[in-house]
């Protein structure tokens, strides 16, 4: 059973990357940043499935293998009890009858596996002392320990998951060549004990392929059903006697839920050398709370539905004592990935930058506990700077500044000029204060570029911009209009005042050439003036009027103000 991302539905929002507990989602550095799930690292926790807002995360079981087992007509299906919620309003009897019609020779309900595992836990519970023992019936917990907390491996209960225990029992009962498929929420990862592992949705598809309609099935079992009653176990494989004896958390029994709890357990056991007793830990509140079960707000409905279909408990053991099957398990350490290049990690941290207090942000908005962990994941292709809020905020600010400031001259851009001009017109109408506009163009600047080169031309543009910046007030706006054209908005200035500023600018820019060592008259500028009064109905032609005045200055011989 694998998790995959549908490329057509994914919008690369990276919500799945933020919540993945084992960094199993690879992210491309360049566009399109389509995430891909690494099945070797994935622990099938389903957290990515729950957070994806576009339903782009899909779960694909081994439907081809399961269909082949059904088609052969001699295989067994282990059907997890949670199926009653998925296939509702079909009854459990109709679902099992449908499995028979689809081709499965026998259908078990997962009870035998729970009973076998519960018996093993009860044996261990009655043995003392054992210090710390961690429940191992949840494949997600087991895989997380193997991947991230290898120091806890010796403390995992040496007991397999119920589905595997039941598969061993069935083969011991019917022969080693028996083909077994499992349909449920959270099967063990990469086990050879099960020939196929599918989701309930996959089983739905098998029904459609085989032409089976559950709602038309009989509401009574058409064959003698496999054992459905429990004797020792509760759902999930723990013995009921253990749960009743340790109803509340104590020094001998601790109930924990969620993957985050493993960090505290690892600290207590490996660092503080504490004995925690039996640690009843699951990745969620049971299989019905797993994201594959459905919306979380329907959890209590699913529990009520499952409880209503649970048969009464058996007073006697339901496992055939003549069938010998092992429920033991051994867990190996999962090889950790290669550590990222430290220099590359520092490069990512440098791009993120420091917070206002001079320390790393460590805001956890990216889904990682620290900037260091995020940078390591980014270097390994398991995260991207798109997740980093401080980095993106700084980029947005830089982009805003880039849109507001001309990169060559440092003056305002045309967009800022346009917005400020509209603002000044409205302000002038309210306050009855006029303002003026200077439209400036360097004379014969193309000849300068052709003769001295564009690099020299750029240096001249920078010098002209600096001269303009020094000549105007902080309340004025100086902008590069385009090429070698500049516009200045002189607030609260009449035409005579604007004429004085324009003349000072013309003379100052003429002196730039001499200061830079070029022939006299090489660098000059022509300036056109226009002013706005509140009595004018519209200021839309103000730049046009200043541009026309500029052309009159050019026609008068250049290096002039008009």
């Amino acid at each position: 059973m694998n998790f995959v991302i549908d490329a057509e539905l994914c919008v690369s929002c990276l919500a799945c990357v933020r919540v993945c507990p084992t960094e199993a989602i690879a992210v491309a550095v360049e566009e399109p940043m389509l995430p891909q799930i690494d099945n070797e690292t994935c622990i099938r926790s389903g957290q990515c499935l729950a957070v994806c807002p576009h339903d782009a995360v899909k779960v694909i079981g081994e439907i081809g293998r399961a269909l082949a087992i059904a088609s052969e007509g001699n295989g067994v299906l282990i059907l997890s009890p949670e199926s009653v919620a998925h296939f509702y309003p079909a009854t459990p009897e109709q679902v099992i009858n449908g499995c028979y019609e689809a081709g499965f020779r026998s259908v078990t309900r997962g009870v035998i596996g729970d009973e076998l595992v519960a018996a093993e836990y009860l044996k261990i519970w009655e043995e003392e002392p054992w210090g710390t023992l961690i429940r191992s019936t949840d494949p997600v917990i087991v895989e997380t320990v193997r991947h991230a907390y290898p120091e806890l491996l010796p403390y995992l209960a040496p007991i397999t998951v119920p589905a595997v225990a039941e598969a061993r029992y069935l083969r011991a009962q019917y022969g080693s060549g028996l083909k077994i498929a499992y349909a449920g929420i959270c099967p063990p990862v990469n086990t050879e004990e099960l020939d196929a592992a599918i989701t309930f949705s996959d089983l739905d598809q098998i029904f459609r392929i085989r032409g089976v309609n559950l709602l038309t099935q009989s509401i009574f079992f058409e064959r003698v059903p496999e054992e459905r009653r429990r004797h020792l176990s509760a759902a999930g494989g723990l013995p009921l006697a253990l749960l009743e004896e340790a109803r509340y958390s104590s020094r001998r029994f601790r109930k924990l839920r969620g993957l985050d709890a493993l960090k505290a357990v690892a600290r207590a056991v490996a660092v503080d050398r504490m004995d925690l007793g039996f640690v009843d830990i699951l990745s969620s509140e049971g299989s019905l709370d797993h994201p594959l079960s459905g919306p979380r707000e329907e959890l209590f409905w699913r529990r009520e539905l499952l409880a209503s279909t649970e048969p009464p408990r058996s007073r006697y053991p339901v496992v055939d004592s003549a069938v010998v099957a092992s429920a033991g398990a051994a867990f190996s350490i999962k090889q950790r990935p290669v550590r990222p290049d430290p220099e590359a990690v520092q490069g990512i941290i440098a791009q993120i930058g420091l917070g206002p207090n001079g320390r790393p942000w460590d805001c956890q908005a990216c889904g990682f506990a620290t900037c260091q962990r995020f940078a390591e994941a980014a270097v390994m292709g398991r995260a991207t700077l798109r997740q980093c809020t401080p980095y993106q905020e700084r980029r947005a600010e830089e982009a805003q500044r880039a849109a507001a400031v001309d990169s060559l001259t440092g003056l305002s851009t045309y967009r800022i000029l346009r917005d400020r001009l509209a603002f000044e017109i409205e302000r002038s109408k309210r306050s009855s204060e006029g303002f003026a506009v200077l439209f400036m163009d360097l004379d014969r600047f193309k000849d300068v570029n052709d003769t001295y080169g564009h690099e020299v031309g750029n240096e001249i543009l920078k010098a002209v911009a600096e001269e303009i910046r020094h000549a105007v007030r902080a309340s004025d706006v100086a902008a590069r209009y385009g090429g070698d054209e500049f516009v200045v908005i002189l607030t609260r200035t009449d035409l005579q005042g604007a004429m004085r500023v324009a003349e000072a600018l013309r003379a100052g820019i003429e002196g730039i050439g001499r200061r830079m060592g070029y022939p006299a008259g090489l660098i000059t500028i022509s300036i056109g003036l226009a002013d706005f009064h509140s009595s004018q109905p519209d200021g839309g032609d103000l730049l046009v009027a200043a541009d026309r005045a500029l052309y009159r200055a050019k026609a008068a011989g250049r290096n002039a103000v008009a």
Side-chain angles (χ1 to χ4, degrees):
M1 188 182 294
N2 294 324
F3 284 67
V4 297
I5 295 177
D6 190 329
E8 294 185 358
L9 297 177
C10 180
V11 298
S12 298
C13 67
L14 305 181
C16 55
V17 179
R18 292 182 177 90
V19 300
C20 182
T22 56
E23 301 171 18
I25 303 177
V27 185
V29 178
E30 299 178 354
E31 298 287 349
M33 292 184 178
L34 181 66
Q36 292 184 335
I37 298 176
D38 177 12
N39 286 310
E40 290 297 319
T41 313
C42 178
I43 60 172
R44 282 76 170 167
S45 68
Q47 294 187 29
C48 56
L49 186 75
V51 301
C52 180
H54 307 284
D55 297 326
V57 180
K58 306 296 182 184
V59 184
I60 300 177
E62 298 163 316
I63 187 171
R65 293 183 183 180
L67 188 59
I69 293 172
S71 301
E72 291 172 3
N74 58 0
V76 175
L77 175 67
I78 301 175
L79 183 63
S80 178
E82 296 83 13
S83 60
V84 298
H86 178 86
F87 292 105
Y88 182 83
T91 66
E93 293 82 2
Q94 288 178 312
V95 175
I96 291 177
N97 288 335
C99 293
Y100 288 142
E101 186 177 336
F104 293 103
R105 187 182 81 181
S106 178
V107 181
T108 69
R109 296 300 305 278
V111 171
I112 297 299
D114 283 349
E115 290 288 304
L116 291 166
V117 168
E120 294 298 316
Y121 274 109
L122 196 57
K123 290 178 186 177
I124 294 178
W125 178 255
E126 292 172 350
E127 295 175 0
E128 287 199 46
W130 30 257
T132 298
L133 191 69
I134 300 174
R135 179 178 178 177
S136 59
T137 61
D138 187 344
V140 175
I141 291 291
V142 172
E143 289 302 308
T144 304
V145 168
R146 292 182 61 215
H147 181 275
Y149 301 98
E151 63 270 27
L152 293 180
L153 277 175
Y155 301 95
L156 282 175
I159 303 173
T160 189
V161 297
V164 170
E166 184 156 349
R168 293 173 182 173
Y169 178 88
L170 291 171
R171 288 198 175 96
Q173 188 175 32
Y174 298 114
S176 59
L178 181 68
K179 297 292 185 181
I180 301 175
Y182 170 86
I185 300 298
C186 191
V189 179
N190 300 328
T191 178
E192 297 179 357
E193 310 281 354
L194 301 173
D195 297 293
I198 58 175
T199 65
F200 294 137
S201 297
D202 293 330
L203 186 56
D204 253 335
Q205 190 172 347
I206 289 176
F207 288 149
R208 288 193 294 271
I209 294 172
R210 304 288 287 177
V212 177
N213 185 346
L214 295 183
L215 295 178
T216 61
Q217 300 293 317
S218 172
I219 60 173
F220 304 101
F221 289 116
E222 295 180 346
R223 304 182 193 177
V224 177
E226 298 290 339
E227 186 59 68
R228 300 171 60 231
R229 298 173 300 166
R230 299 179 184 275
H231 173 62
L232 285 176
S233 67
L238 283 190
L240 189 63
L242 185 156
L243 296 175
E244 288 178 346
E245 183 180 339
R247 188 175 296 274
Y248 302 102
S249 292
S250 65
R251 292 179 65 87
R252 197 174 176 220
F253 184 91
R254 301 174 193 272
K255 179 180 176 181
L256 302 174
R257 294 295 181 262
L259 293 175
D260 292 339
L262 280 172
K263 186 175 183 180
V265 173
R267 166 65 190 248
V269 172
V271 179
D272 300 328
R273 303 296 181 184
M274 296 173 60
D275 288 338
L276 298 181
F278 185 84
V279 181
D280 174 22
I281 184 169
L282 295 174
S283 58
S284 56
E285 285 287 347
S287 296
L288 290 175
D289 192 36
H290 192 280
L292 271 177
S293 293
R296 187 150 195 195
E297 57 267 24
E298 296 177 2
L299 171 62
F300 296 107
W301 171 81
R302 292 194 292 269
R303 286 179 176 174
E304 188 69 22
L305 187 62
L306 183 58
S308 68
T309 60
E310 188 81 10
R313 284 189 170 272
S314 171
R315 295 173 59 187
Y316 306 102
V318 297
V319 177
D320 188 349
S321 59
V323 179
V324 180
S326 169
F331 307 104
S332 60
I333 296 176
K334 203 165 189 176
Q335 184 176 1
R336 291 197 171 187
V338 179
R339 302 297 298 173
D341 178 20
E343 291 186 5
V345 171
Q346 290 304 313
I348 296 291
I349 292 176
Q351 290 187 65
I352 298 172
L354 300 176
N357 60 356
R359 299 168 62 185
W361 289 88
D362 293 343
C363 60
Q364 303 183 25
C366 58
F368 294 84
T370 64
C371 291
Q372 178 73 23
R373 284 292 304 117
F374 168 78
E376 292 173 356
V379 172
M380 299 298 291
R382 293 299 191 265
T384 170
L385 284 167
R386 281 184 58 189
Q387 296 168 241
C388 180
T389 301
Y391 174 78
Q392 291 299 333
E393 286 180 350
R394 191 173 72 251
R395 283 198 60 185
E397 291 172 0
E398 290 172 353
Q400 191 172 9
R401 285 197 297 269
V405 178
D406 179 66
S407 59
L408 177 65
T409 62
L411 301 180
S412 298
T413 59
Y414 173 75
R415 182 176 70 84
I416 298 300
L417 171 69
R418 180 194 59 201
D419 294 345
R420 186 62 183 274
L421 184 60
F423 172 81
E424 287 299 328
I425 289 173
E426 294 303 317
R427 186 196 62 77
S428 180
K429 289 179 179 179
R430 292 193 303 271
S431 64
S432 299
E433 293 178 331
F435 68 94
V437 171
L438 310 183
F439 208 131
M440 300 176 283
D441 180 49
L442 289 172
D443 298 324
R444 300 187 180 90
F445 192 67
K446 183 178 182 304
D447 295 342
V448 175
N449 280 331
D450 293 342
T451 304
Y452 296 95
H454 288 82
E455 285 300 320
V456 170
N458 288 340
E459 293 300 320
I460 292 174
L461 288 174
K462 292 178 184 178
V464 170
E466 190 66 21
E467 186 70 28
I468 294 174
R469 193 179 294 109
H470 285 304
V472 300
R473 300 163 297 182
S475 60
D476 300 329
V477 178
R480 186 182 181 190
Y481 192 79
D484 58 344
E485 296 177 321
F486 303 88
V487 173
V488 175
I489 299 175
L490 299 173
T491 61
R492 295 181 175 87
T493 304
D494 58 16
L495 200 58
Q496 290 184 351
M499 181 68 74
R500 290 194 294 271
V501 174
E503 188 59 41
L505 273 172
R506 184 202 63 77
I509 292 171
E510 186 178 12
I512 289 176
R514 293 192 298 271
R515 292 195 297 273
M516 296 180 70
Y518 294 110
L522 179 70
I523 302 173
T524 59
I525 197 165
S526 298
I527 305 175
L529 275 66
D531 63 340
F532 177 82
H533 295 287
S534 57
S535 58
Q536 296 177 226
D538 186 12
D541 293 336
L542 191 61
L543 284 178
V544 175
D547 190 37
R548 288 173 179 168
L550 171 63
Y551 276 97
R552 287 198 297 274
K554 294 278 189 183
R558 296 184 175 84
N559 193 19
V561 176

